[in-house]
Amino acid sequence: MMQDCLVPERISNLLRTIWIGKNMIYLDTIDSTNSESRRRAAEEAEGTVILAEQQTAGKGRFGREWSSPKSKGIWMSILLKPDLSSIKIPQLTLIAAAAVCLALDERSLLLPDQQVKIKWPNDIFLAGKKIGGILTEMQVRDNKVQSVIVGIGLNVNLGEEDVSGDLIDKATSLYLETGRVQQREPLVAGILNYFESLYLQYLTTEELGETLTICRQKSAVIGRKVDMTGEKIGQAAEVLDLGPQGELVVKLDNGEITSLISGEISILLQDE
Ligand code: BTN
């Protein structure tokens, strides 16, 4: 399948943002847009978006590799310099996940029986498989957040040839699930538009507000039994809700109700 390259001007024309994406750096090939944002963090303005056609060393959470074939997905990073305490930074992952869902819904790209889901905190799921993910990284100096990089990956037009091997049961793309090749530019713009609006809401109110509503509505885990790995290693739990800070409220097997913040754990749906 031949893939068109992104045209940054076409994205810019669709932006309704005040500052996110106003500075857009478009690259053909890079190791990782997150790594590149980090290298440029000191000199580039807040809201700078780095977008690449392909990544040669795309990164996922927990040091995993993120496959980013040329011109088939959205591989981008948003550079932020918020005046927030570091404990509030993981919330930006939820904001990005909500923005991706809203952008997909706005474009009505999915089939009538399909619903995009968020597997807390950072996986975007469609039809029980992963179509996207968020990787939020921050630089902290003297206890102060210097910069935050919100990396967003979305498998748009990946074909069967791109999700073979290990990925086959786990990953999919919009194209594979809907049978239609999708234009990437309006989706990029949509994600950035929604991201800015939810992010500004968060900065001004210090509450997740609408993000929380969307993450609850789209949750792939609320009401489900999960296995957790991490600090509470090996524990099984039932997910009850998302708390006001976006934390996962779970009931452990021993009946204890506790909340978990992202970064602490990784969860596996029990029938996965
Ligand atoms: C995950 O689900 O584990 C997170 C995946 C994040 C992938 C995106 S693609 C753009 C940005 N650059 C990277 O190297 N990773 C993120």
Side-chain angles (χ1 to χ4, degrees):
M1 202 197 309
M2 266 291 287
Q3 296 297 323
D4 290 337
C5 283
L6 291 165
V7 180
E9 295 73 51
R10 288 213 287 250
I11 300 171
S12 300
N13 289 339
L14 296 170
L15 285 181
R16 300 184 303 261
T17 56
I18 305 163
W19 47 278
I20 298 235
K22 291 290 161 180
N23 180 26
M24 194 170 317
I25 300 172
Y26 170 66
L27 305 165
D28 181 78
T29 307
I30 194 75
D31 52 351
S32 145
T33 57
N34 268 33
S35 304
E36 182 66 7
S37 299
R38 187 181 189 141
R39 291 189 287 263
R40 296 188 189 212
E43 80 243 26
E44 295 296 347
E46 175 164 45
T48 295
V49 170
I50 300 192
L51 196 63
E53 291 295 343
Q54 72 179 330
Q55 300 184 111
T56 53
K59 298 186 288 186
R61 270 175 108 216
F62 307 115
R64 293 188 195 118
E65 187 189 318
W66 182 261
S67 161
S68 324
K70 182 153 187 161
S71 303
K72 292 191 178 178
I74 294 174
W75 325 124
M76 71 174 169
S77 301
I78 308 170
L79 172 66
L80 302 170
K81 302 182 180 178
D83 187 13
L84 286 173
S85 118
S86 58
I87 57 162
K88 298 217 146 201
I89 301 305
Q91 273 93 317
L92 302 182
T93 299
L94 300 182
I95 293 178
V100 170
C101 292
L102 288 174
L104 285 169
D105 284 352
E106 177 189 58
R107 303 279 306 154
S108 304
L109 303 180
L110 308 180
L111 303 181
D113 60 336
Q114 291 178 334
Q115 236 215 332
V116 61
K117 295 269 184 192
I118 302 169
K119 186 178 148 217
W120 184 91
N122 76 305
D123 290 341
I124 314 290
F125 264 58
L126 184 63
K129 293 185 183 181
K130 185 157 167 168
I131 53 159
I134 320 287
L135 177 66
T136 301
E137 299 182 289
M138 64 176 157
Q139 287 76 56
V140 182
R141 196 183 306 143
D142 302 330
N143 268 329
K144 197 172 169 347
V145 174
Q146 303 287 312
S147 61
V148 179
I149 291 146
V150 179
I152 301 174
L154 189 64
N155 295 343
V156 182
N157 292 322
L158 278 73
E160 267 152 28
E161 67 282 11
D162 301 306
V163 290
S164 51
D166 278 2
L167 289 176
I168 206 151
D169 299 324
K170 295 185 189 145
T172 189
S173 73
L174 274 179
Y175 165 71
L176 286 171
E177 296 307 320
T178 62
R180 299 184 206 123
V181 173
Q182 308 289 358
Q183 260 191 298
R184 290 176 296 154
E185 285 130 352
L187 263 177
V188 171
I191 295 169
L192 298 176
N193 287 335
Y194 282 117
F195 182 87
E196 183 179 279
S197 137
L198 295 173
Y199 178 59
L200 284 178
Q201 216 178 77
Y202 184 55
L203 289 182
T204 49
T205 63
E206 296 218 6
E207 283 180 14
L208 281 171
E210 207 185 326
T211 297
L212 209 52
T213 310
I214 296 153
C215 289
R216 282 183 176 136
Q217 237 169 43
K218 302 284 188 191
S219 176
V221 298
I222 293 175
R224 303 278 301 265
K225 289 251 181 202
V226 296
D227 285 318
M228 303 181 292
T229 58
E231 209 172 293
K232 317 216 165 167
I233 206 148
Q235 288 251 27
E238 185 190 343
V239 179
L240 301 179
D241 196 7
L242 293 182
Q245 303 300 319
E247 68 278 24
L248 200 67
V249 183
V250 299
K251 187 171 167 194
L252 301 178
D253 264 1
N254 64 9
E256 184 194 336
I257 293 177
T258 180
S259 49
L260 304 159
I261 58 163
S262 65
E264 236 175 19
I265 60 152
S266 153
I267 56 177
L268 197 65
L269 294 171
Q270 278 194 350
D271 49 18
E272 234 173 21

